[in-house]
Amino acid sequence: MAGNWIVPTRTVPVLLLLGACFSTGCTENAPPPPKQTSLKLDDLLDNKSSANSKDAPVGFQSPIRLRTVADHGIDFVHQSGNSDERPFPAANGSGTGAIDYDLDGRPDLFFANGAQFPIDLNNRHDSDGLYRNLGEFRFQNVATTTGVAYAGFSAGVAAGDFNHDGFPDLYVTCFGENRLYQNQGDGTFIETAARAGVNDKHWGTSAVWFDVDNDGLLDLYVGNYGIWNFQDPDTHKFCHGHEAHIRIFCSPTSVDPAPDFLFLNRGDGTFEDISQSSGVAARMSRTQGVLAADLNNDGWVDLYLGNDMHANSLFINSGQRSFRDDTEASGMGYSSDGKAQAGMGVAAADINHNLDLEVFVTNYMGENNNLYQQVRQGRFGDQSSVQGLAADSLAYVGWGTAFVDLNLDRWNDLVVTNGHTDDNKPNQPYSQLAFVWQNLEGRFRKISTDSGDFLKNTRVGRGLAVVDLDNDGRQDLVCSNVGQAPDLVRNETPDTKAWLLTLEGRSTNRDGVGASVLIESAAGKTLHHVCGGGSYLSQHQLRLTVPFEPGSVKATITWSGDKTSQMTLDPWPTNQELIVRQGN
């Protein structure tokens, strides 16, 4: 089915851009589109320096309400792999991901699972989980029937249509051989990692699908952590804390970093390893979070890595299938006092309407989380203390994270899920609270536990995915937890409306990774990005949520490679998915 243009079977407004027609249900006899106002992205970006937080009006700030759903049908419980011997991978947990594998318009959920050491691949009890969304927050376990019930130690999740056939595929990183599940379009997957050449056998962490060279095919970056062997006393050491007889997880510095890999999509179902030639292999680090986004607005998707006890890495895409290591010069490698920290989860968004991306990184307890803001083109400063994000994080171990506009007021809020690595350290709680900081005109304030039971209850948090599980226009949260059931968090913030834009590329990658949508309205300008990866070991839903604003609302879509489309949003329904399909 590679190369075919598959139209989803569900009824949904489909917007065909650049010389095609606007239609509802994709009918040829639809009325002509409203007259469009021509917008040039370059003209709009010329004024970005004046579009800052103090100039942009504040939207309606509805109180955020987040409720943990109990009766959802998901019976998955994470196997941490922990034991008295403290196998290191058990400390880091596993992620979760959103993937509409059957194209019914309802996002399904994948949960990566751990395993006991030594790993028994025949132990079907602790396999990965895939749950089909039945609607109304009800799910059905389909991991076995779909062919993804792997029983090894799985960690990271990345979903993307790598063969451009219309059906999302799934890549799972593992401690051991990674898995590539190719979607067959009939409700099943086949595992093709070895044939495709992406069956990396290191200690996998986060992975991301993105288009390195803007050829329309998704390429694959695979993050790895360290060199560790359960049977090798040189790597699986006895480590202790204040009491010599109590074994705890060893420090990250006890293991040497493993190499990351960049695989170029050949377009025939196989990939070429360009890790060395692209330059990304030159910097070795214990990779945890991976983000793909155009951080310098040049039309090429860059890479940012959250690294454990190494400087976080920034690789700028040169456009020649190669990257420039800009870690040191950018200011994004270290904390404000110049230290490498335990980088874990990563997130990016425009938080202050200046049309530039800011980047956020979670860290270990005793280290504050970092918020990197551009102080000038390509140069960033850690503004976490200024923004009120530093002090609250010091006593917590941060993992999954995301910028998400929870109350649809045009300002991206921030979510972090926390959880300790050790369950036997005095005065250091293993199960911890999650945090939500509300964005108030470009400044953050932590919201209280009165905003819902999600913020009242503790968990041993790891992965975090943002996904609208009930298609009501409000973005929900899914948290994967170590040794526990996941949390499904329903966003019940009242009085919210939004346009829900799913971008589908034709000449560019089908998932729209690397694309951005510039919104211009009476309230000002906002920029929305389709980033690849982000969070920790997890996959967000790629659909963009654009808060409703009355009056004329214009959108300029910049696809990867700087191909642009223009449209107006105000004629189209809110709280309903709109497929925005790139024209020829």
Side-chain angles (χ1 to χ4, degrees):
M1 292 178 289
N4 295 333
W5 187 252
I6 308 298
V7 178
T9 56
R10 63 189 186 272
T11 300
V12 57
V14 180
L15 316 183
L16 302 173
L17 301 182
L18 289 179
C21 67
F22 286 70
S23 64
T24 301
C26 208
T27 58
E28 292 297 324
N29 297 322
K35 184 177 180 181
Q36 302 294 300
T37 301
S38 177
L39 297 177
K40 293 183 178 180
L41 186 65
D42 290 343
D43 293 340
L44 296 176
L45 291 179
D46 284 343
N47 298 319
K48 71 178 182 178
S49 60
S50 64
N52 55 36
S53 59
K54 70 177 185 297
D55 296 326
V58 180
F60 171 67
Q61 294 175 342
S62 180
I64 295 171
R65 295 287 181 265
L66 301 172
R67 179 175 65 87
T68 304
V69 177
D71 185 18
H72 44 58
I74 293 178
D75 56 0
F76 179 86
V77 177
H78 181 257
Q79 165 61 262
S80 70
N82 196 9
S83 68
D84 291 341
E85 294 186 282
R86 302 300 180 192
F88 201 139
N92 291 355
S94 306
T96 183
I99 175 173
D100 183 8
Y101 80 96
D102 54 0
L103 299 186
D104 66 353
R106 294 189 292 261
D108 312 301
L109 295 175
F110 181 88
F111 296 97
N113 208 351
Q116 287 288 335
F117 288 86
I119 296 172
D120 178 8
L121 294 180
N122 295 315
N123 179 12
R124 310 310 300 176
H125 177 70
D126 294 323
S127 64
D128 297 337
L130 177 61
Y131 289 82
R132 184 169 183 251
N133 190 337
L134 305 177
E136 300 299 323
F137 270 80
R138 297 291 301 171
F139 293 81
Q140 175 189 10
N141 190 349
V142 294
T144 300
T145 57
T146 56
V148 300
Y150 178 61
F153 194 107
S154 300
V157 182
D161 182 6
F162 79 87
N163 57 357
H164 218 292
D165 68 351
F167 293 96
D169 309 297
L170 188 64
Y171 190 77
V172 181
T173 64
C174 305
F175 180 84
E177 192 166 354
N178 294 344
R179 317 280 290 178
L180 174 61
Y181 296 107
Q182 185 174 331
N183 194 330
Q184 300 302 288
D186 59 1
T188 67
F189 295 83
I190 58 171
E191 203 289 304
T192 63
R195 182 179 67 83
V198 294
N199 58 328
D200 177 30
K201 299 179 182 179
H202 289 84
W203 177 356
T205 54
S206 296
V208 59
W209 294 103
F210 76 111
D211 191 353
V212 171
D213 52 0
N214 288 340
D215 66 350
L217 297 173
L218 286 175
D219 309 298
L220 179 65
Y221 189 91
V222 179
N224 285 306
Y225 190 82
I227 308 298
W228 183 89
N229 187 332
F230 183 71
Q231 308 293 347
D232 184 357
D234 288 336
T235 60
H236 183 41
K237 304 172 184 178
F238 186 102
C239 298
H240 63 85
H242 295 294
E243 299 187 46
H245 66 284
I246 298 180
R247 188 170 189 170
I248 63 173
F249 287 110
C250 292
S251 165
T253 57
S254 69
V255 298
D256 293 329
D260 292 354
F261 289 88
L262 178 59
F263 296 104
L264 185 72
N265 192 337
R266 293 190 178 106
D268 60 359
T270 67
F271 293 77
E272 175 187 356
D273 181 0
I274 62 168
S275 310
Q276 295 293 335
S277 62
S278 66
V280 299
R283 178 180 288 270
M284 291 278 286
S285 57
R286 288 176 287 267
T287 303
Q288 300 214 85
V290 179
L291 174 75
D294 183 3
L295 292 170
N296 59 353
N297 295 320
D298 67 351
W300 300 94
V301 177
D302 311 303
L303 287 166
Y304 185 74
L305 315 178
N307 299 322
D308 199 356
M309 304 300 291
H310 289 277
N312 299 323
S313 304
L314 174 61
F315 294 110
I316 297 297
N317 193 334
S318 71
Q320 303 296 321
R321 297 182 179 177
S322 63
F323 291 80
R324 180 183 77 251
D325 187 344
D326 209 29
T327 299
E328 305 296 332
S330 68
M332 299 178 72
Y334 305 93
S335 64
S336 57
D337 56 359
K339 295 180 180 179
Q341 301 195 129
M344 298 182 188
V346 291
D350 178 11
I351 65 170
N352 53 12
H353 302 332
N354 68 350
L355 308 186
D356 283 325
L357 283 174
E358 285 75 42
V359 176
F360 182 78
V361 185
T362 59
N363 295 298
Y364 204 78
M365 66 179 301
E367 305 170 337
N368 64 267
N369 296 335
N370 307 120
L371 175 66
Y372 296 105
Q373 293 184 259
Q374 289 200 52
V375 293
R376 62 182 185 275
Q377 185 67 35
R379 298 297 175 257
F380 293 78
D382 181 5
Q383 300 294 305
S384 51
S385 294
V386 174
Q387 289 283 5
L389 297 171
D392 288 326
S393 64
L394 285 171
Y396 295 82
V397 182
W399 301 90
T401 184
F403 287 111
V404 50
D405 188 355
L406 291 168
N407 59 353
L408 295 176
D409 65 351
R410 300 176 65 250
W411 299 90
N412 283 299
D413 310 303
L414 178 63
V415 184
V416 174
T417 184
N418 302 300
H420 211 295
T421 52
D422 292 280
D423 59 2
N424 59 350
K425 286 188 174 180
N427 304 317
Q428 295 184 18
Y430 187 47
S431 186
Q432 300 183 349
L433 294 171
F435 291 149
V436 173
W437 284 272
Q438 186 171 359
N439 188 340
L440 303 173
E441 299 188 37
R443 301 287 181 181
F444 289 92
R445 182 189 66 190
K446 192 175 73 171
I447 66 175
S448 72
T449 56
D450 293 336
S451 297
D453 60 354
F454 170 62
L455 298 177
K456 291 180 180 179
N457 301 327
T458 63
R459 61 194 53 79
V460 190
R462 290 300 185 267
L464 173 71
V466 175
V467 50
D468 185 356
L469 291 170
D470 53 355
N471 285 323
D472 67 350
R474 295 172 290 194
Q475 297 184 81
D476 309 301
L477 307 173
V478 180
C479 300
S480 63
N481 305 313
V482 171
Q484 301 172 334
D487 287 308
L488 271 63
V489 183
R490 187 168 191 166
N491 185 349
E492 297 182 342
T493 302
D495 304 319
T496 55
K497 292 195 297 183
W499 289 287
L500 312 179
L501 306 182
T502 296
L503 305 187
E504 286 191 3
R506 284 192 172 180
S507 62
T508 60
N509 72 86
R510 185 182 173 89
D511 292 339
V513 175
S516 63
V517 179
L518 179 66
I519 302 296
E520 186 180 34
S521 70
K525 302 170 186 176
T526 57
L527 193 60
H528 303 258
H529 289 261
V530 183
C531 298
S535 191
Y536 175 74
L537 306 180
S538 298
Q539 172 72 57
H540 300 305
Q541 185 180 26
L542 294 178
R543 187 171 74 188
L544 295 177
T545 300
V546 178
F548 169 79
E549 299 177 45
S552 178
V553 178
K554 304 171 185 179
T556 296
I557 301 171
T558 302
W559 306 88
S560 60
D562 282 340
K563 302 175 179 68
T564 60
S565 309
Q566 293 85 33
M567 58 185 290
T568 59
L569 291 180
D570 40 293
W572 300 101
T574 57
N575 295 358
Q576 180 179 346
E577 182 181 28
L578 305 174
I579 295 178
V580 183
R581 193 168 289 169
Q582 185 186 21
N584 294 322

